[in-house]
Amino acid sequence: TAKDKKDGGIVVATNKLVAQFEEDKNLEKELKKALYTEGIIPYFQPKVDLQTNDIVGIEALARWIHPERGIISPVVFIPLAEKTGLIQKLDFLIAESTIKKLKKWIDQDLVSNDFKGSFNISVKTFEEEDVYEQIKFLLNKYDLPGKNIEVEVTENIFINKLSKMLDELKFLKEDLGASIALDDFTAGHASLRGLSQLTVDTLKFDKSLLQIIKENSEKGKNIYSTLVKLSKDMGYTSVAEGIENVDESDFLKKEGVDYGQGFYFAKPMAEDKFVEFIGKRDGNSLYKERLVEIIR
Ligand code: C2E
Ligand code: MG
Ligand code: MG
Ligand code: MG
């Protein structure tokens, strides 16, 4: 009967929920363990000067190297970490690892003195922790100047303690000399509000903006151009995310976007691969040659 079916449906749905919940609980336990056993590591994606092709920095992106499941995407475990209060630990782990590697690469002359490493700090982390104090401690610990780091933040309309976050960003910038980037620009409806509230140096144009161009070429290009103009008029550095082909790269270069990231240049890589990628250099020129080589 219909009732049986309905009840049956509910039972199935409930079992599914329980299974999901248990799965989450397992994942949560595993995530916690991974955080304390170097199971979570940063991959590094090069950031390229679109005018010169020089590699000017990297973004650190968390990867969970799971013994059975393989490499798990942050799209899966960042929301879980945010939900379970593990995000602060995760964010500072990636920040510390990035600061440590930057120091090493600069000392080894693998990258230049003004090479910049970006990492992502969740709004949740800003709510719970003294981000400025923590980052200051890490920079001191590894003796890395603040100008070598960039903190990527996203706007979130549900943020609590907004004024605390604004203060932290101000100190990171003014006291430590770190750059601040507004990530995923225009991906969410809150981006323009974020722009008006946060003190940022850099706008990172979300990869969904390039998707608009694919779907509606002329209109999409106009939207992108207008946002680049806004960014320039307001004095921000611009970074385009998600560049996947030469047409996109050429378009963004023509529009005068400063930097780009995307699979067209390089995917996020484990440290050994990144070091191989960037190679030994003589001035900045080798970056360019290597990059051109890789692009071909
Ligand atoms: P995000 O910060 O906006 O990072 C950019 C994402 O775009 C990365 O995804 C990167 O791998 C991907 N990407 C780069 N180039 C291309 C391209 O050409 N095409 C396409 N389709 N994608 C490209 P990923 O690594 O999966 O990270 C997803 C998000 O997870 C990040 O977005 C960031 O919001 C978050 N995340 C990653 N690591 C951390 C972390 O340590 N802390 C926090 N709080 N969030 C993190
Ligand atoms: Mg980011
Ligand atoms: Mg981004
Ligand atoms: Mg994004």
Side-chain angles (χ1 to χ4, degrees):
T1 67
K3 187 176 178 289
D4 288 341
K5 268 189 204 141
K6 198 183 165 203
D7 288 344
I10 290 166
V11 171
V12 170
T14 309
N15 284 345
K16 242 193 200 157
L17 275 180
V18 171
Q20 257 174 23
F21 182 72
E22 274 171 4
E23 170 92 332
D24 259 14
K25 278 283 160 204
N26 265 337
L27 265 190
E28 182 184 337
K29 247 185 268 163
E30 289 183 29
L31 179 61
K32 195 167 189 175
K33 191 176 144 206
L35 281 170
Y36 287 89
T37 55
E38 292 182 6
I40 310 259
I41 59 166
Y43 269 36
F44 303 104
Q45 184 176 40
K47 187 169 74 183
V48 176
D49 182 323
L50 289 176
Q51 308 303 324
T52 64
N53 274 352
D54 287 348
I55 298 172
V56 294
I58 49 94
E59 177 176 5
L61 294 154
R63 295 289 182 269
W64 182 355
I65 314 296
H66 194 283
E68 287 112 41
R69 298 171 202 250
I71 300 176
I72 304 183
S73 162
V75 177
V76 175
F77 64 81
I78 297 290
L80 178 65
E82 287 181 336
K83 207 173 69 188
T84 54
L86 293 171
I87 191 68
Q88 300 94 294
K89 170 85 183 159
L90 191 150
D91 280 349
F92 290 134
L93 186 100
I94 298 297
E96 173 156 16
S97 181
T98 305
I99 287 169
K100 185 176 168 181
K101 311 254 175 215
L102 282 168
K103 175 66 181 172
K104 190 175 81 179
W105 299 336
I106 292 171
D107 280 357
Q108 292 175 345
D109 212 18
L110 201 61
V111 300
S112 70
N113 278 328
D114 45 17
F115 196 83
K116 224 180 258 260
S118 308
F119 46 82
N120 300 278
I121 300 284
S122 164
V123 158
K124 279 254 172 303
T125 302
F126 276 99
E127 285 177 359
E128 303 296 330
E129 297 281 331
D130 292 327
V131 177
Y132 159 73
E133 289 294 342
Q134 290 281 351
I135 299 296
K136 184 179 173 178
F137 169 80
L138 292 174
L139 289 172
N140 279 334
K141 180 172 174 188
Y142 296 99
D143 190 27
L144 184 78
K147 66 162 188 177
N148 290 113
I149 62 162
E150 181 163 75
V151 177
E152 297 194 5
V153 299
T154 51
E155 222 284 8
N156 185 326
I157 48 169
F158 300 113
I159 183 170
N160 299 310
K161 307 187 194 169
L162 177 66
S163 67
K164 174 179 174 294
M165 179 168 170
L166 298 182
D167 284 347
E168 302 258 18
L169 292 177
K170 194 166 176 276
F171 285 138
L172 282 165
K173 194 172 144 67
E174 289 174 8
D175 187 38
L176 302 181
S179 305
I180 311 294
L182 184 61
D183 206 353
D184 302 338
F185 184 63
T186 71
H189 55 283
S191 277
L192 290 175
R193 180 173 174 264
L195 193 56
S196 69
Q197 286 175 326
L198 307 176
T199 325
V200 303
D201 310 277
T202 303
L203 296 187
K204 292 199 81 175
F205 290 87
D206 194 70
K207 54 180 179 282
S208 60
L209 274 174
L210 283 175
Q211 195 57 38
I212 300 179
I213 294 184
K214 286 194 185 100
E215 286 157 9
N216 189 341
S217 194
E218 271 321 298
K219 209 172 177 185
K221 280 184 177 171
N222 283 335
I223 293 173
Y224 212 120
S225 304
T226 305
L227 289 172
V228 173
K229 187 175 179 304
L230 169 101
S231 174
K232 277 189 195 306
D233 287 352
M234 294 186 71
Y236 295 114
T237 300
S238 48
V239 182
E241 251 183 18
I243 303 172
E244 291 185 351
N245 58 55
V246 66
D247 290 344
E248 290 169 351
S249 174
D250 284 349
F251 165 71
L252 298 165
K253 181 176 175 179
K254 191 176 84 257
E255 292 301 319
V257 173
D258 299 305
Y259 305 122
Q261 269 176 252
F263 297 166
Y264 172 61
F265 299 113
K267 290 195 168 172
M269 296 169 268
E271 190 198 5
D272 56 340
K273 287 278 179 286
F274 172 73
V275 166
E276 200 181 305
F277 177 81
I278 202 137
K280 295 258 182 294
R281 76 186 176 87
D282 183 17
N284 270 333
S285 60
L286 243 183
Y287 289 162
K288 193 192 282 189
E289 277 165 34
R290 284 189 65 84
L291 192 66
V292 170
E293 212 175 274
I294 286 156
I295 288 171
R296 283 200 192 113

